[in-house]
Amino acid sequence: TQTFKPIKQPKIFDVIYPAAFGLWKRKDLFAKAVNGLTALTLGNIQEQEPECFDVCVDNGIAVSSDIPQEALPYFYNMSKICLITTVPEIGGQRTALEAMACGLPVVYTKDSVLVAELVNGHGVAVDPDPIDIKRVLMLMLSGYSKIDKDQSRDYILQNYSEKHYADKIRNAISQC
């Protein structure tokens, strides 16, 4: 929460999805859903799965790899929405936390139960279908969103910050 926070940046991208270029991140679903939008995806390229990279490039998505962790907050803050399309078994939890800490609304697929648990009502769950995802993204980009970005950031500060965990440890020690 010291690193991932709102930073004044121009909103260049409609949608961001920082995740490795592996099949388990469903970049194909991301690419189909954001087709026609200004989108960015970041992550390490998996040499054994080049199709994950290719599908993004073929759909006009800005792609970057090997971004240093300390630069990620700037990319989040240049974006309007964070979309997470990972397979259910893998997660996407860190991406959701980082995006929410930066004040971005998070859209994730309904089958991503780990993300759903984490965002606890501070995100939008959609069917893992590109048409449904695109519909929700377009609604949000047009100004309709039930997500309060400040509340999402406050939720992260209260439940996942360094202070939160330090207090939990302090309380546990005091009960010994």
Side-chain angles (χ1 to χ4, degrees), residues 3 19 22 27 31 38 67 91 116 123 149 176:
T3 303
K27 295 282 186 164
T38 307
I67 300 295
K149 294 182 269 186
C176 291

Side-chain angles (χ1 to χ4, degrees), residues 2 6 14 16 21-22 27 31-33 39 43 63-64 69 100 109 111 123 125 130 132 140 153 155 167-168 173:
Q2 299 298 324
D14 294 323
I16 186 172
F21 289 90
K27 295 282 186 164
K32 291 172 188 167
V63 174
S64 190
Q69 186 73 11
M100 291 169 63
T109 53
D111 58 357
D132 192 41
M140 293 177 76
R153 174 146 172 86
Y155 171 76
D167 289 345
K168 282 183 111 171
I173 291 171

Side-chain angles (χ1 to χ4, degrees), residues 50-103:
E51 64 273 18
C52 299
F53 176 84
D54 295 343
V55 73
C56 291
V57 172
D58 292 346
N59 281 282
I61 297 167
V63 174
S64 190
S65 65
D66 300 322
I67 300 295
Q69 186 73 11
E70 62 272 7
L72 280 176
Y74 295 96
F75 289 100
Y76 279 114
N77 281 284
M78 285 190 269
S79 307
K80 298 172 188 168
I81 299 170
C82 180
L83 173 59
I84 301 170
T85 58
T86 188
V87 297
E89 304 81 30
I90 299 299
Q93 304 94 312
R94 190 181 84 199
T95 300
L97 286 173
E98 291 170 352
M100 291 169 63
C102 289

Side-chain angles (χ1 to χ4, degrees), residues 132-174:
D132 192 41
I133 295 169
K134 179 81 166 253
R135 181 185 57 77
V136 169
L137 292 174
M138 295 306 290
L139 279 171
M140 293 177 76
L141 289 168
S142 68
Y144 176 80
S145 177
K146 294 179 180 179
I147 305 218
D148 183 323
K149 294 182 269 186
D150 292 332
Q151 277 186 347
S152 294
R153 174 146 172 86
D154 290 345
Y155 171 76
I156 295 300
L157 291 173
Q158 291 169 6
N159 295 286
Y160 296 100
S161 69
E162 297 87 350
K163 181 184 179 325
H164 169 76
Y165 286 108
D167 289 345
K168 282 183 111 171
I169 292 168
R170 196 174 5 264
N171 289 339
I173 291 171
S174 70

